[in-house]
Amino acid sequence: MKKGYFWESAMVKNKRFKLEPLFREGIEKGLLTEDDLVYYQCFSIPDAPGCMTFNCPHISNMKRNMDAMARSEAVTQGRKMIQRLVRFLQQCMPGFEHAFLIREAAALGVRESCRIEGKYILKEEDYLNRARFDDAVAKGDWYIDVHSSTKGLVHMDKYEKGEYYEIPYRCLINNHVKNMLTIGRCISTTFLVQASIRIQPTVIDMGDTAGKACARALKEKIELADFSGKGLMER
């Protein structure tokens, strides 16, 4: 039995989404700019009738993710885009006539920036081949999901139910700092594979297994970079 309701709406520029003509009308009325059409997505919120959460706007000209000034400028730009989107929804989107903004996200949602160069780099071939490793720290099954500023959405070879690839311990260690583990979207992968491993369930599993690695390496009195990582996912 399902409780409540679920509703989703999305539009990506130049991808033949049914909503694009409505967004084009918003540009003609001076409510939106071309940048506002790069990506739009919203969802209903469980147990909160009448409320929506938005996975947008996409700030496509944000190029220097590690630059504090660039991030600050992107925050300002994002808030202006949100205000334009609110006015557009109120005036053009059926059902939003009396809508209002409750709050904005507290920080930018930066999807990709720095990654380490580890002892192993997880590649597209590993994703496509559903790779297995004897030093696995986590399983991944999210598709390669890139929001490209030039190509729109890039989705690659989605998995069927029960399929997965493994992330090896060697993606968490490197040849330069012996007693350090790297966890999260900044582990050693290619750009495209990072778009799969970055989701919260996967990075949570990485963190849990990394804790086990630290405990075992300490018990064996060896540096983390010298620890084999084998058997970490065994119960």
Side-chain angles (χ1 to χ4, degrees):
M1 178 182 295
K2 292 184 179 180
K3 180 182 177 182
Y5 71 100
F6 180 80
W7 189 80
E8 176 187 1
S9 178
M11 197 285 300
V12 180
K13 180 180 175 180
N14 297 330
K15 290 293 182 179
R16 299 182 180 179
F17 277 74
K18 291 183 178 180
L19 284 177
E20 184 160 355
L22 188 64
F23 278 77
R24 290 290 174 191
E25 181 182 327
I27 291 179
E28 293 173 5
K29 291 181 176 180
L31 298 170
L32 298 174
T33 69
E34 284 286 338
D35 287 342
D36 299 324
L37 273 64
V38 173
Y39 187 79
Y40 165 84
Q41 187 178 34
C42 64
F43 306 89
S44 55
I45 303 175
D47 297 322
C51 292
M52 304 292 295
T53 181
F54 289 77
N55 187 26
C56 60
H58 180 77
I59 305 174
S60 57
N61 61 0
M62 172 65 174
K63 306 296 184 183
R64 307 187 310 278
N65 293 338
M66 301 303 294
D67 186 299
M69 290 303 298
R71 292 173 75 103
S72 179
E73 291 169 5
V75 170
T76 300
Q77 179 185 349
R79 286 175 174 161
K80 290 179 179 178
M81 295 173 79
I82 289 169
Q83 293 300 323
R84 289 198 297 268
L85 180 60
V86 169
R87 290 192 293 270
F88 161 74
L89 292 173
Q90 291 169 335
Q91 296 185 38
C92 299
M93 188 73 75
F96 283 83
E97 293 84 356
H98 305 292
F100 57 91
L101 180 65
I102 297 176
R103 65 176 178 268
E104 301 170 355
L108 290 175
V110 178
R111 294 168 67 96
E112 192 268 345
S113 56
C114 291
R115 300 184 303 279
I116 68 163
E117 182 178 343
K119 292 196 173 186
Y120 185 86
I121 300 174
L122 200 66
K123 303 176 180 65
E124 290 80 55
E125 291 80 5
D126 297 317
Y127 174 90
L128 293 170
N129 295 331
R130 283 66 169 166
R132 301 291 190 269
F133 300 95
D134 60 4
D135 61 340
V137 296
K139 298 176 181 178
D141 62 0
W142 191 251
Y143 54 92
I144 289 178
D145 175 21
V146 178
H147 290 200
S148 171
S149 61
T150 57
K151 299 180 181 179
L153 291 181
V154 178
H155 290 168
M156 183 174 174
D157 193 52
K158 295 183 180 180
Y159 281 10
E160 298 295 331
K161 184 178 180 180
E163 294 184 321
Y164 62 91
Y165 61 89
E166 293 179 338
I167 300 169
Y169 178 76
R170 285 162 289 161
C171 288
L172 279 56
I173 55 177
N174 64 87
N175 292 315
H176 305 286
V177 184
K178 295 287 256 179
N179 203 34
M180 181 181 78
L181 287 182
T182 302
I183 308 299
R185 64 187 180 190
C186 48
I187 67 170
S188 181
T189 70
T190 62
F191 169 77
L192 287 176
V193 174
Q194 189 271 347
S196 171
I197 63 97
R198 64 178 175 77
I199 65 168
Q200 291 184 21
T202 305
V203 299
I204 288 170
D205 287 346
M206 275 190 243
D208 180 69
T209 308
K212 296 177 183 177
C214 289
R216 294 185 187 181
L218 181 63
K219 186 176 181 180
E220 296 178 23
K221 297 181 180 181
I222 58 175
E223 301 279 15
L224 288 166
D226 297 326
F227 180 61
S228 70
K230 294 181 179 179
L232 285 170
M233 291 182 63
E234 296 176 359
R235 295 199 179 270

Short mmCIF file of all heavy atoms in Angstrom, two decimals, residues 126-184:
data_model
loop_
_atom_site.label_atom_id
_atom_site.label_comp_id
_atom_site.label_asym_id
_atom_site.label_seq_id
_atom_site.Cartn_x
_atom_site.Cartn_y
_atom_site.Cartn_z
N ASP A 126 34.86 -0.32 -15.84
CA ASP A 126 34.45 -1.00 -14.60
C ASP A 126 32.94 -0.86 -14.40
O ASP A 126 32.27 -1.80 -13.98
CB ASP A 126 35.19 -0.40 -13.41
CG ASP A 126 36.69 -0.61 -13.50
OD1 ASP A 126 37.10 -1.73 -13.86
OD2 ASP A 126 37.44 0.32 -13.20
N TYR A 127 32.43 0.31 -14.71
CA TYR A 127 30.98 0.53 -14.61
C TYR A 127 30.24 -0.37 -15.60
O TYR A 127 29.28 -1.05 -15.24
CB TYR A 127 30.67 2.00 -14.87
CG TYR A 127 29.20 2.31 -14.92
CD1 TYR A 127 28.50 2.67 -13.78
CD2 TYR A 127 28.51 2.25 -16.13
CE1 TYR A 127 27.14 2.95 -13.83
CE2 TYR A 127 27.15 2.53 -16.19
CZ TYR A 127 26.47 2.88 -15.04
OH TYR A 127 25.13 3.14 -15.09
N LEU A 128 30.68 -0.38 -16.84
CA LEU A 128 30.00 -1.15 -17.88
C LEU A 128 30.09 -2.65 -17.65
O LEU A 128 29.15 -3.40 -17.95
CB LEU A 128 30.58 -0.80 -19.25
CG LEU A 128 30.33 0.63 -19.74
CD1 LEU A 128 31.16 0.93 -20.98
CD2 LEU A 128 28.84 0.83 -20.03
N ASN A 129 31.21 -3.09 -17.07
CA ASN A 129 31.44 -4.52 -16.86
C ASN A 129 30.94 -5.02 -15.50
O ASN A 129 31.14 -6.18 -15.15
CB ASN A 129 32.93 -4.84 -16.99
CG ASN A 129 33.44 -4.61 -18.40
OD1 ASN A 129 32.69 -4.73 -19.36
ND2 ASN A 129 34.72 -4.26 -18.53
N ARG A 130 30.30 -4.14 -14.71
CA ARG A 130 29.82 -4.52 -13.36
C ARG A 130 30.98 -5.13 -12.57
O ARG A 130 30.93 -6.25 -12.07
CB ARG A 130 28.68 -5.49 -13.42
CG ARG A 130 27.31 -4.92 -13.77
CD ARG A 130 27.21 -4.38 -15.17
NE ARG A 130 25.81 -4.08 -15.54
CZ ARG A 130 25.47 -3.37 -16.58
NH1 ARG A 130 26.41 -2.84 -17.37
NH2 ARG A 130 24.21 -3.15 -16.86
N ALA A 131 32.09 -4.39 -12.48
CA ALA A 131 33.36 -4.90 -11.96
C ALA A 131 33.25 -5.38 -10.52
O ALA A 131 32.49 -4.85 -9.71
CB ALA A 131 34.43 -3.82 -12.06
N ARG A 132 34.05 -6.40 -10.19
CA ARG A 132 34.18 -6.93 -8.84
C ARG A 132 35.65 -6.86 -8.41
O ARG A 132 36.55 -7.00 -9.24
CB ARG A 132 33.72 -8.40 -8.78
CG ARG A 132 32.27 -8.62 -9.21
CD ARG A 132 31.28 -8.01 -8.20
NE ARG A 132 29.92 -8.42 -8.48
CZ ARG A 132 29.07 -7.76 -9.25
NH1 ARG A 132 29.46 -6.65 -9.87
NH2 ARG A 132 27.83 -8.20 -9.44
N PHE A 133 35.87 -6.61 -7.11
CA PHE A 133 37.23 -6.47 -6.59
C PHE A 133 37.33 -7.19 -5.26
O PHE A 133 36.37 -7.19 -4.46
CB PHE A 133 37.58 -4.99 -6.38
CG PHE A 133 37.51 -4.16 -7.63
CD1 PHE A 133 36.36 -3.45 -7.94
CD2 PHE A 133 38.59 -4.10 -8.50
CE1 PHE A 133 36.28 -2.68 -9.09
CE2 PHE A 133 38.53 -3.33 -9.65
CZ PHE A 133 37.37 -2.62 -9.95
N ASP A 134 38.51 -7.80 -4.99
CA ASP A 134 38.68 -8.49 -3.71
C ASP A 134 38.92 -7.52 -2.56
O ASP A 134 38.90 -7.92 -1.39
CB ASP A 134 39.80 -9.54 -3.78
CG ASP A 134 41.15 -8.94 -4.14
OD1 ASP A 134 41.25 -7.70 -4.27
OD2 ASP A 134 42.12 -9.71 -4.30
N ASP A 135 39.14 -6.24 -2.87
CA ASP A 135 39.29 -5.23 -1.82
C ASP A 135 38.13 -4.23 -1.86
O ASP A 135 38.29 -3.04 -1.57
CB ASP A 135 40.63 -4.50 -1.94
CG ASP A 135 40.78 -3.75 -3.26
OD1 ASP A 135 40.04 -4.06 -4.21
OD2 ASP A 135 41.62 -2.83 -3.33
N ALA A 136 36.94 -4.70 -2.22
CA ALA A 136 35.77 -3.82 -2.36
C ALA A 136 35.39 -3.17 -1.04
O ALA A 136 35.45 -3.79 0.02
CB ALA A 136 34.59 -4.62 -2.91
N VAL A 137 34.99 -1.90 -1.13
CA VAL A 137 34.53 -1.18 0.06
C VAL A 137 33.06 -0.81 -0.02
O VAL A 137 32.43 -0.47 0.99
CB VAL A 137 35.35 0.11 0.30
CG1 VAL A 137 36.80 -0.22 0.60
CG2 VAL A 137 35.25 1.06 -0.90
N ALA A 138 32.49 -0.81 -1.23
CA ALA A 138 31.08 -0.45 -1.40
C ALA A 138 30.60 -0.92 -2.77
O ALA A 138 31.40 -1.18 -3.67
CB ALA A 138 30.88 1.06 -1.26
N LYS A 139 29.28 -1.01 -2.88
CA LYS A 139 28.64 -1.34 -4.16
C LYS A 139 27.97 -0.07 -4.71
O LYS A 139 27.45 0.74 -3.96
CB LYS A 139 27.59 -2.43 -3.97
CG LYS A 139 28.14 -3.75 -3.47
CD LYS A 139 27.02 -4.75 -3.22
CE LYS A 139 27.56 -6.08 -2.70
NZ LYS A 139 26.46 -7.04 -2.42
N GLY A 140 27.99 0.06 -6.03
CA GLY A 140 27.31 1.18 -6.68
C GLY A 140 26.38 0.69 -7.76
O GLY A 140 26.70 -0.28 -8.46
N ASP A 141 25.22 1.35 -7.90
CA ASP A 141 24.31 0.96 -8.97
C ASP A 141 23.63 2.16 -9.63
O ASP A 141 22.79 2.00 -10.50
CB ASP A 141 23.24 0.00 -8.45
CG ASP A 141 22.36 0.61 -7.37
OD1 ASP A 141 22.58 1.78 -7.01
OD2 ASP A 141 21.46 -0.10 -6.87
N TRP A 142 24.01 3.37 -9.21
CA TRP A 142 23.42 4.56 -9.81
C TRP A 142 24.00 4.77 -11.20
O TRP A 142 25.19 4.54 -11.43
CB TRP A 142 23.70 5.78 -8.94
CG TRP A 142 22.92 7.00 -9.33
CD1 TRP A 142 23.43 8.14 -9.92
CD2 TRP A 142 21.53 7.25 -9.14
NE1 TRP A 142 22.43 9.07 -10.12
CE2 TRP A 142 21.24 8.54 -9.64
CE3 TRP A 142 20.49 6.48 -8.60
CZ2 TRP A 142 19.97 9.08 -9.63
CZ3 TRP A 142 19.21 7.03 -8.57
CH2 TRP A 142 18.97 8.32 -9.08
N TYR A 143 23.16 5.17 -12.13
CA TYR A 143 23.65 5.36 -13.50
C TYR A 143 24.59 6.56 -13.60
O TYR A 143 24.61 7.44 -12.74
CB TYR A 143 22.48 5.51 -14.47
CG TYR A 143 21.49 6.60 -14.12
CD1 TYR A 143 21.63 7.88 -14.63
CD2 TYR A 143 20.39 6.33 -13.29
CE1 TYR A 143 20.73 8.88 -14.32
CE2 TYR A 143 19.48 7.32 -12.98
CZ TYR A 143 19.65 8.60 -13.50
OH TYR A 143 18.75 9.57 -13.18
N ILE A 144 25.38 6.58 -14.66
CA ILE A 144 26.24 7.73 -14.92
C ILE A 144 25.35 8.90 -15.30
O ILE A 144 24.71 8.89 -16.36
CB ILE A 144 27.28 7.40 -16.00
CG1 ILE A 144 28.32 6.42 -15.42
CG2 ILE A 144 27.96 8.66 -16.52
CD1 ILE A 144 29.38 5.97 -16.41
N ASP A 145 25.30 9.91 -14.43
CA ASP A 145 24.30 10.97 -14.49
C ASP A 145 25.01 12.32 -14.50
O ASP A 145 25.36 12.84 -13.44
CB ASP A 145 23.37 10.82 -13.29
CG ASP A 145 22.35 11.94 -13.17
OD1 ASP A 145 22.09 12.60 -14.18
OD2 ASP A 145 21.84 12.15 -12.06
N VAL A 146 25.26 12.85 -15.70
CA VAL A 146 25.99 14.09 -15.85
C VAL A 146 25.05 15.19 -16.33
O VAL A 146 24.29 14.98 -17.28
CB VAL A 146 27.15 13.94 -16.86
CG1 VAL A 146 27.90 15.26 -17.04
CG2 VAL A 146 28.11 12.85 -16.40
N HIS A 147 25.09 16.35 -15.69
CA HIS A 147 24.37 17.52 -16.15
C HIS A 147 25.37 18.40 -16.89
O HIS A 147 26.06 19.22 -16.29
CB HIS A 147 23.75 18.28 -14.98
CG HIS A 147 22.62 17.56 -14.35
ND1 HIS A 147 21.68 18.18 -13.57
CD2 HIS A 147 22.26 16.25 -14.38
CE1 HIS A 147 20.79 17.30 -13.14
NE2 HIS A 147 21.13 16.12 -13.61
N SER A 148 25.45 18.22 -18.18
CA SER A 148 26.44 18.94 -18.99
C SER A 148 25.89 20.29 -19.42
O SER A 148 24.73 20.39 -19.84
CB SER A 148 26.82 18.11 -20.22
OG SER A 148 27.59 18.87 -21.11
N SER A 149 26.72 21.33 -19.35
CA SER A 149 26.29 22.66 -19.77
C SER A 149 26.18 22.75 -21.30
O SER A 149 25.51 23.64 -21.82
CB SER A 149 27.27 23.72 -19.27
OG SER A 149 28.57 23.49 -19.79
N THR A 150 26.81 21.83 -22.01
CA THR A 150 26.78 21.87 -23.48
C THR A 150 25.95 20.74 -24.09
O THR A 150 25.36 20.90 -25.15
CB THR A 150 28.21 21.79 -24.05
OG1 THR A 150 28.86 20.60 -23.56
CG2 THR A 150 29.01 23.01 -23.64
N LYS A 151 25.88 19.58 -23.42
CA LYS A 151 25.19 18.42 -23.98
C LYS A 151 23.90 18.08 -23.26
O LYS A 151 23.25 17.08 -23.57
CB LYS A 151 26.13 17.20 -23.95
CG LYS A 151 27.38 17.37 -24.77
CD LYS A 151 28.25 16.13 -24.71
CE LYS A 151 29.53 16.30 -25.52
NZ LYS A 151 30.40 15.10 -25.44
N GLY A 152 23.51 18.89 -22.27
CA GLY A 152 22.32 18.57 -21.51
C GLY A 152 22.56 17.37 -20.61
O GLY A 152 23.66 17.17 -20.09
N LEU A 153 21.55 16.54 -20.44
CA LEU A 153 21.70 15.35 -19.61
C LEU A 153 22.49 14.28 -20.34
O LEU A 153 22.25 14.03 -21.52
CB LEU A 153 20.32 14.78 -19.24
CG LEU A 153 19.46 15.60 -18.28
CD1 LEU A 153 18.15 14.86 -18.03
CD2 LEU A 153 20.18 15.83 -16.97
N VAL A 154 23.42 13.64 -19.64
CA VAL A 154 24.14 12.50 -20.18
C VAL A 154 23.87 11.32 -19.26
O VAL A 154 24.34 11.29 -18.11
CB VAL A 154 25.67 12.77 -20.26
CG1 VAL A 154 26.39 11.53 -20.79
CG2 VAL A 154 25.94 13.97 -21.17
N HIS A 155 23.09 10.38 -19.71
CA HIS A 155 22.78 9.17 -18.95
C HIS A 155 23.36 7.97 -19.68
O HIS A 155 23.20 7.83 -20.89
CB HIS A 155 21.27 9.00 -18.77
CG HIS A 155 20.67 10.00 -17.85
ND1 HIS A 155 19.31 10.18 -17.73
CD2 HIS A 155 21.23 10.90 -17.01
CE1 HIS A 155 19.06 11.13 -16.85
NE2 HIS A 155 20.22 11.59 -16.41
N MET A 156 24.02 7.09 -18.94
CA MET A 156 24.79 6.03 -19.59
C MET A 156 24.46 4.66 -19.02
O MET A 156 24.64 4.41 -17.83
CB MET A 156 26.29 6.34 -19.41
CG MET A 156 27.23 5.39 -20.09
SD MET A 156 28.94 6.02 -19.91
CE MET A 156 29.86 4.66 -20.61
N ASP A 157 23.90 3.78 -19.84
CA ASP A 157 23.76 2.36 -19.54
C ASP A 157 23.23 2.10 -18.12
O ASP A 157 23.94 1.62 -17.25
CB ASP A 157 25.12 1.67 -19.71
CG ASP A 157 24.96 0.14 -19.72
OD1 ASP A 157 24.15 -0.36 -20.49
OD2 ASP A 157 25.67 -0.52 -18.93
N LYS A 158 21.96 2.39 -17.90
CA LYS A 158 21.37 2.16 -16.58
C LYS A 158 21.33 0.67 -16.26
O LYS A 158 21.14 -0.17 -17.13
CB LYS A 158 19.96 2.75 -16.52
CG LYS A 158 19.93 4.26 -16.66
CD LYS A 158 18.51 4.80 -16.51
CE LYS A 158 18.48 6.30 -16.65
NZ LYS A 158 17.11 6.86 -16.50
N TYR A 159 21.48 0.35 -14.99
CA TYR A 159 21.50 -1.04 -14.54
C TYR A 159 20.09 -1.59 -14.37
O TYR A 159 19.13 -0.86 -14.13
CB TYR A 159 22.20 -1.14 -13.17
CG TYR A 159 23.71 -1.10 -13.22
CD1 TYR A 159 24.41 -0.78 -14.37
CD2 TYR A 159 24.45 -1.38 -12.07
CE1 TYR A 159 25.79 -0.75 -14.38
CE2 TYR A 159 25.84 -1.36 -12.07
CZ TYR A 159 26.50 -1.04 -13.23
OH TYR A 159 27.87 -1.01 -13.24
N GLU A 160 19.99 -2.90 -14.48
CA GLU A 160 18.76 -3.61 -14.14
C GLU A 160 18.77 -3.91 -12.64
O GLU A 160 19.80 -3.85 -11.98
CB GLU A 160 18.67 -4.92 -14.94
CG GLU A 160 18.62 -4.72 -16.45
CD GLU A 160 17.36 -4.00 -16.92
OE1 GLU A 160 16.32 -4.13 -16.22
OE2 GLU A 160 17.42 -3.31 -17.95
N LYS A 161 17.61 -4.26 -12.12
CA LYS A 161 17.48 -4.58 -10.70
C LYS A 161 18.44 -5.69 -10.31
O LYS A 161 18.52 -6.72 -10.98
CB LYS A 161 16.04 -4.99 -10.37
CG LYS A 161 15.79 -5.25 -8.90
CD LYS A 161 14.34 -5.60 -8.63
CE LYS A 161 14.10 -5.86 -7.15
NZ LYS A 161 12.67 -6.20 -6.88
N GLY A 162 19.18 -5.49 -9.23
CA GLY A 162 20.13 -6.49 -8.73
C GLY A 162 21.53 -6.35 -9.27
O GLY A 162 22.46 -6.99 -8.77
N GLU A 163 21.74 -5.52 -10.28
CA GLU A 163 23.08 -5.33 -10.84
C GLU A 163 23.83 -4.26 -10.05
O GLU A 163 23.23 -3.33 -9.51
CB GLU A 163 23.00 -4.91 -12.31
CG GLU A 163 22.43 -5.98 -13.23
CD GLU A 163 22.47 -5.55 -14.68
OE1 GLU A 163 22.19 -4.36 -14.97
OE2 GLU A 163 22.78 -6.39 -15.53
N TYR A 164 25.15 -4.38 -10.02
CA TYR A 164 25.97 -3.38 -9.33
C TYR A 164 27.43 -3.56 -9.74
O TYR A 164 27.82 -4.57 -10.31
CB TYR A 164 25.84 -3.52 -7.81
CG TYR A 164 26.32 -4.84 -7.25
CD1 TYR A 164 27.64 -5.01 -6.83
CD2 TYR A 164 25.46 -5.94 -7.13
CE1 TYR A 164 28.09 -6.22 -6.32
CE2 TYR A 164 25.89 -7.15 -6.63
CZ TYR A 164 27.21 -7.29 -6.22
OH TYR A 164 27.66 -8.50 -5.72
N TYR A 165 28.23 -2.56 -9.44
CA TYR A 165 29.68 -2.66 -9.55
C TYR A 165 30.25 -2.44 -8.15
O TYR A 165 29.54 -2.00 -7.23
CB TYR A 165 30.25 -1.62 -10.53
CG TYR A 165 29.98 -0.19 -10.12
CD1 TYR A 165 30.87 0.51 -9.30
CD2 TYR A 165 28.84 0.48 -10.56
CE1 TYR A 165 30.62 1.82 -8.92
CE2 TYR A 165 28.59 1.80 -10.19
CZ TYR A 165 29.47 2.45 -9.37
OH TYR A 165 29.23 3.74 -8.98
N GLU A 166 31.51 -2.76 -7.96
CA GLU A 166 32.16 -2.56 -6.67
C GLU A 166 33.24 -1.47 -6.77
O GLU A 166 33.83 -1.27 -7.83
CB GLU A 166 32.76 -3.86 -6.16
CG GLU A 166 31.70 -4.91 -5.81
CD GLU A 166 32.30 -6.21 -5.32
OE1 GLU A 166 33.48 -6.48 -5.62
OE2 GLU A 166 31.58 -6.97 -4.64
N ILE A 167 33.46 -0.80 -5.66
CA ILE A 167 34.49 0.23 -5.55
C ILE A 167 35.63 -0.35 -4.73
O ILE A 167 35.42 -0.74 -3.58
CB ILE A 167 33.93 1.48 -4.87
CG1 ILE A 167 32.77 2.06 -5.68
CG2 ILE A 167 35.04 2.53 -4.68
CD1 ILE A 167 32.00 3.14 -4.95
N PRO A 168 36.85 -0.41 -5.26
CA PRO A 168 37.96 -1.01 -4.52
C PRO A 168 38.57 -0.04 -3.50
O PRO A 168 38.54 1.18 -3.68
CB PRO A 168 38.97 -1.35 -5.61
CG PRO A 168 38.71 -0.36 -6.69
CD PRO A 168 37.22 -0.09 -6.65
N TYR A 169 39.12 -0.62 -2.45
CA TYR A 169 39.82 0.15 -1.41
C TYR A 169 40.92 1.01 -2.01
O TYR A 169 41.19 2.12 -1.53
CB TYR A 169 40.41 -0.84 -0.40
CG TYR A 169 41.20 -0.22 0.72
CD1 TYR A 169 40.56 0.41 1.78
CD2 TYR A 169 42.59 -0.29 0.74
CE1 TYR A 169 41.29 0.97 2.82
CE2 TYR A 169 43.33 0.25 1.78
CZ TYR A 169 42.67 0.89 2.82
OH TYR A 169 43.40 1.44 3.85
N ARG A 170 41.52 0.54 -3.09
CA ARG A 170 42.63 1.27 -3.73
C ARG A 170 42.20 2.63 -4.29
O ARG A 170 43.05 3.48 -4.56
CB ARG A 170 43.22 0.41 -4.85
CG ARG A 170 44.09 -0.74 -4.36
CD ARG A 170 44.28 -1.77 -5.46
NE ARG A 170 43.05 -2.49 -5.72
CZ ARG A 170 42.80 -3.18 -6.85
NH1 ARG A 170 43.71 -3.19 -7.81
NH2 ARG A 170 41.67 -3.83 -7.00
N CYS A 171 40.89 2.86 -4.45
CA CYS A 171 40.41 4.18 -4.89
C CYS A 171 40.40 5.18 -3.74
O CYS A 171 40.20 6.38 -3.98
CB CYS A 171 38.99 4.06 -5.46
SG CYS A 171 38.90 3.24 -7.06
N LEU A 172 40.60 4.69 -2.52
CA LEU A 172 40.54 5.55 -1.34
C LEU A 172 41.93 5.92 -0.82
O LEU A 172 42.06 6.78 0.05
CB LEU A 172 39.77 4.86 -0.22
CG LEU A 172 38.24 4.91 -0.25
CD1 LEU A 172 37.66 4.36 -1.55
CD2 LEU A 172 37.64 4.13 0.91
N ILE A 173 42.97 5.25 -1.31
CA ILE A 173 44.33 5.50 -0.85
C ILE A 173 45.18 5.99 -2.01
O ILE A 173 44.81 5.86 -3.17
CB ILE A 173 44.97 4.24 -0.22
CG1 ILE A 173 44.90 3.06 -1.20
CG2 ILE A 173 44.27 3.87 1.08
CD1 ILE A 173 45.56 1.79 -0.70
N ASN A 174 46.33 6.58 -1.68
CA ASN A 174 47.19 7.14 -2.72
C ASN A 174 48.65 6.86 -2.42
O ASN A 174 48.98 6.30 -1.36
CB ASN A 174 46.95 8.64 -2.85
CG ASN A 174 47.35 9.38 -1.59
OD1 ASN A 174 48.50 9.77 -1.42
ND2 ASN A 174 46.40 9.58 -0.67
N ASN A 175 49.52 7.23 -3.32
CA ASN A 175 50.95 6.95 -3.18
C ASN A 175 51.73 8.08 -2.53
O ASN A 175 52.96 8.02 -2.46
CB ASN A 175 51.56 6.65 -4.56
CG ASN A 175 51.05 5.34 -5.14
OD1 ASN A 175 51.00 4.33 -4.44
ND2 ASN A 175 50.68 5.36 -6.41
N HIS A 176 51.05 9.09 -2.03
CA HIS A 176 51.75 10.27 -1.52
C HIS A 176 51.58 10.47 -0.02
O HIS A 176 52.53 10.87 0.66
CB HIS A 176 51.26 11.52 -2.28
CG HIS A 176 51.39 11.41 -3.76
ND1 HIS A 176 52.60 11.49 -4.42
CD2 HIS A 176 50.45 11.19 -4.72
CE1 HIS A 176 52.42 11.34 -5.72
NE2 HIS A 176 51.12 11.16 -5.93
N VAL A 177 50.38 10.23 0.49
CA VAL A 177 50.12 10.37 1.93
C VAL A 177 49.75 8.99 2.45
O VAL A 177 48.68 8.46 2.15
CB VAL A 177 48.97 11.37 2.21
CG1 VAL A 177 48.79 11.55 3.71
CG2 VAL A 177 49.26 12.71 1.54
N LYS A 178 50.62 8.41 3.25
CA LYS A 178 50.50 7.00 3.62
C LYS A 178 49.35 6.70 4.58
O LYS A 178 48.76 5.64 4.52
CB LYS A 178 51.82 6.51 4.26
CG LYS A 178 52.99 6.52 3.33
CD LYS A 178 52.89 5.38 2.31
CE LYS A 178 53.81 4.25 2.65
NZ LYS A 178 53.73 3.13 1.70
N ASN A 179 49.04 7.63 5.46
CA ASN A 179 48.08 7.31 6.51
C ASN A 179 46.80 8.13 6.35
O ASN A 179 46.30 8.72 7.29
CB ASN A 179 48.69 7.55 7.89
CG ASN A 179 47.97 6.75 8.95
OD1 ASN A 179 47.52 5.64 8.70
ND2 ASN A 179 47.88 7.29 10.16
N MET A 180 46.25 8.12 5.12
CA MET A 180 45.04 8.88 4.84
C MET A 180 44.10 8.09 3.95
O MET A 180 44.52 7.45 2.98
CB MET A 180 45.39 10.20 4.14
CG MET A 180 44.18 11.07 3.84
SD MET A 180 44.61 12.63 3.00
CE MET A 180 44.87 12.03 1.32
N LEU A 181 42.82 8.13 4.29
CA LEU A 181 41.78 7.60 3.43
C LEU A 181 40.96 8.76 2.89
O LEU A 181 40.67 9.73 3.61
CB LEU A 181 40.84 6.66 4.19
CG LEU A 181 41.37 5.28 4.56
CD1 LEU A 181 40.28 4.48 5.28
CD2 LEU A 181 41.83 4.52 3.33
N THR A 182 40.56 8.68 1.63
CA THR A 182 39.69 9.69 1.03
C THR A 182 38.32 9.05 0.81
O THR A 182 38.22 7.97 0.25
CB THR A 182 40.26 10.17 -0.30
OG1 THR A 182 41.57 10.70 -0.08
CG2 THR A 182 39.40 11.24 -0.92
N ILE A 183 37.28 9.73 1.26
CA ILE A 183 35.92 9.20 1.18
C ILE A 183 35.03 10.19 0.46
O ILE A 183 35.16 11.40 0.63
CB ILE A 183 35.34 8.95 2.60
CG1 ILE A 183 36.30 8.11 3.44
CG2 ILE A 183 33.97 8.28 2.51
CD1 ILE A 183 36.58 6.75 2.89
N GLY A 184 34.09 9.68 -0.33
CA GLY A 184 33.09 10.54 -0.95
C GLY A 184 33.28 10.69 -2.44
O GLY A 184 33.97 9.91 -3.10
#
